Amino acid sequence: MRKRIQWLEDAVFYEIYPQSFKDTDADGIGNINGITEKLPYIKELGCNAIWLNPCFDSPFGDAGYDVADYYKVAPRYGTNEDIVRMFMEAHKLGMHVLLDLVPGHTSWRHPWFVESMKAQKNEFTDRYIWTDSIWESPEGYGSLRGISDRDGSCLVNFFTHQPALNYGFYKIDRPWQQSMDSEGAIATRNAMKDVMRFWLSKGCDGFRVDMAGSLVKNDEDGKGTIALWQDIRSFLDESFPEAVLVSEWGEPDKSIEGGFHMDFLLHFGPSHYNDLFRCEKPFFGGEGDASEFVEKYLENYAKAAGRGLICIPSGNHDMDRLARTINGDKVKIAFAFLLSMPGAPFIYYGDEIGMRYVENLTSVEGGYGRTGSRSPMQWDDSLNAGFSDADGKNLYIPVDPKADRPNVKSQKTDDTSLYSEVKKLIAIRQSHKALKNSGEIKFIRNGAEGEPLVYMRSCEEERIIVALNPAGKDQVLQTDGECSEVIYSFGGTPDFSAGKCRIKRGSAVFIKIS
Ligand code: GLC
């Protein structure tokens, strides 16, 4: 049985996209020292854990998800010493830091790949997945072809400059496919363990793992990939039992079986996450339908229950900003949901002030449509919104040009701001065990069109009903107990009488039930 990690019980994560958070050396791009400087801000908001997007040396063809050196902080962000200092400062504040591990592929500029492209056999020949002839491309995958002396095509995982590392095939149906226990596949696995050992020894608390579910190929049911992660987990249990793993997998039954503590609810695939926040009529926009989300969520919850957590992010660097589809007070109701669900919540930097999706940007660093969600953090109303002292035209992505762009400074002093609401919600979550990450959930109303979304969070000590009614109609709820306390309300306090409760339209309430 995997060790229970105490700090995960009340972890509330803040995702930092390092390029865009805070620039302390006026070169127009964020850096590690900027993050260290802003740790107290994150702490004050109430977040006690960080997921840092890739910060390793890279040609940045995919924002750093194309690693060229797993052992070195990208010079534009600072040095390894800077990040170690950041870990230490975070720990002093009682915070934990997860790095982003990209085990599935590297940049084509990675020295391993440069060696792997050579015709002469060497240590890295089998580090990546190659066919044995340039005329054969792997079915169902993109590939790199005609770029090496070596005869063969190399599988890619995402963009064509991201060759896939070789962890072997679960089922082998071509002669060039290697097994999971082949020498090359084992060497790759060990190389990734070395990377993990290196950063864990330097003080990071674990990893968010990129594309964690797709490492072993020809592995339809995930059995090979699960076994691979189980092996990595036993290595961690021996050497770094406290190391936390969070997966970008979206199938908690598999990821948790593999040894991950938490899995993300993804914005792609079958989760129906987008029904809530990002579609034509999102539930939290007031007109949508949450029922299919609830159905899927419950399926996953049953699979993960008691073993691991499902994390629901406010957004991330791959999807549109929350504030692109939901606005005004509705965003507060969305946060009342995000901060009252089981599993560790993840807040994408700037979502706590309602940062907008910046329209019409030219793609930067392989962002394409994602670029608008990656613009610099808006700290105040000074030059470049306080992100950087560089000349505005030298910012690597421009700041939201709108005159009324939100910023931290003004929202901090405004009790009615989104920032203040998010801060309040985190504090309420942290002071009620039932609302924390492992508290149970039972849905009472499923948010079908026009309906509210209502659920009970509970633990041995308390029961709390969360009622979210973003739609335009008041709703009456039957409660199976008496309300003993309204612990949170936004958009109007509910009226009670004899086990019934009227929930105002456009409101969110948390009610303690006796
Ligand atoms: C993940 C990352 C994304 C990246 C891709 C390839 O989905 O979140 O930003 O482009 O993997 O590594």
Side-chain angles (χ1 to χ4, degrees), residues 62 65 102 105 158 162 208 210-211 248 317-318 370 374:
D62 183 16
Y65 284 96
V102 190
H105 47 266
F158 196 69
Q162 289 162 314
R208 173 268 186 187
D210 186 66
M211 294 177 66
E248 184 194 35
H317 60 291
D318 291 331
R370 305 175 293 183
R374 299 174 173 186

Side-chain angles (χ1 to χ4, degrees), residues 86-362:
M86 195 267 275
F87 297 150
M88 278 170 19
E89 293 302 317
H91 292 159
K92 274 193 218 155
L93 292 169
M95 302 166 84
H96 293 88
V97 183
L98 302 187
L99 295 179
D100 208 320
L101 183 74
V102 190
H105 47 266
T106 66
S107 159
W108 60 4
R109 303 282 178 239
H110 195 296
W112 295 346
F113 190 64
V114 174
E115 288 303 305
S116 200
M117 283 195 291
K118 292 184 177 162
Q120 301 78 7
K121 198 164 169 50
N122 63 56
E123 191 189 337
F124 301 100
T125 299
D126 295 328
R127 181 59 47 98
Y128 297 83
I129 306 173
W130 291 84
T131 67
D132 49 14
S133 152
I134 189 76
W135 311 119
E136 177 167 356
S137 311
E139 226 174 280
Y141 290 92
S143 64
L144 276 164
R145 300 170 68 224
I147 59 156
S148 61
D149 293 342
R150 176 178 183 164
D151 188 8
S153 315
C154 184
L155 241 83
V156 299
N157 260 356
F158 196 69
F159 291 145
T160 42
H161 54 71
Q162 289 162 314
L165 285 161
N166 173 29
Y167 293 92
F169 283 68
Y170 187 66
K171 273 186 273 158
I172 294 178
D173 43 41
R174 299 290 304 146
W176 48 266
Q177 297 176 348
Q178 302 189 348
S179 70
M180 286 178 64
D181 57 7
S182 62
E183 212 179 300
I186 295 291
T188 309
R189 188 189 294 201
N190 287 336
M192 216 38 72
K193 288 180 185 169
D194 288 345
V195 171
M196 296 172 103
R197 185 183 292 112
F198 180 81
W199 289 110
L200 289 165
S201 311
K202 292 213 173 296
C204 87
D205 298 291
F207 304 94
R208 173 268 186 187
V209 180
D210 186 66
M211 294 177 66
S214 61
L215 299 191
V216 176
K217 307 300 183 198
N218 249 358
D219 183 27
E220 223 178 291
D221 302 325
K223 291 202 175 107
T225 306
I226 293 171
L228 170 76
W229 282 111
Q230 283 172 338
D231 172 61
I232 293 178
R233 187 68 245 178
S234 13
F235 144 71
L236 291 174
D237 284 345
E238 243 168 63
S239 309
F240 303 95
E242 301 284 328
V244 164
L245 292 180
V246 185
S247 49
E248 184 194 35
W249 194 322
E251 294 181 276
D253 49 333
K254 296 178 184 164
S255 48
I256 288 166
E257 184 72 29
F260 285 86
H261 297 93
M262 314 194 286
D263 195 2
F264 276 110
L265 195 84
L266 299 178
H267 62 290
F268 49 88
S271 74
H272 285 276
Y273 168 87
N274 286 336
D275 297 3
L276 304 182
F277 310 109
R278 293 170 178 81
C279 62
E280 214 180 303
K281 284 186 179 174
F283 175 76
F284 287 107
E287 289 183 274
D289 185 325
S291 60
E292 286 181 301
F293 162 79
V294 170
E295 199 183 316
K296 264 285 158 221
Y297 181 83
L298 280 173
E299 258 174 47
N300 281 329
Y301 182 72
K303 290 175 186 165
R307 303 191 299 149
L309 301 171
I310 307 170
C311 302
I312 312 185
S314 69
N316 69 27
H317 60 291
D318 291 331
M319 51 177 132
D320 286 357
R321 283 276 182 192
L322 188 60
R324 195 180 195 193
T325 33
I326 301 176
N327 38 52
D329 285 348
K330 302 262 168 53
V331 185
K332 295 178 181 167
I333 303 177
F335 266 103
F337 164 79
L338 290 161
L339 293 166
S340 65
M341 284 292 283
F346 276 69
I347 299 176
Y348 182 49
Y349 82 96
D351 276 355
E352 73 279 21
I353 55 166
M355 264 177 64
R356 302 187 185 117
Y357 179 89
V358 181
E359 306 286 343
N360 306 318
L361 290 179
T362 305

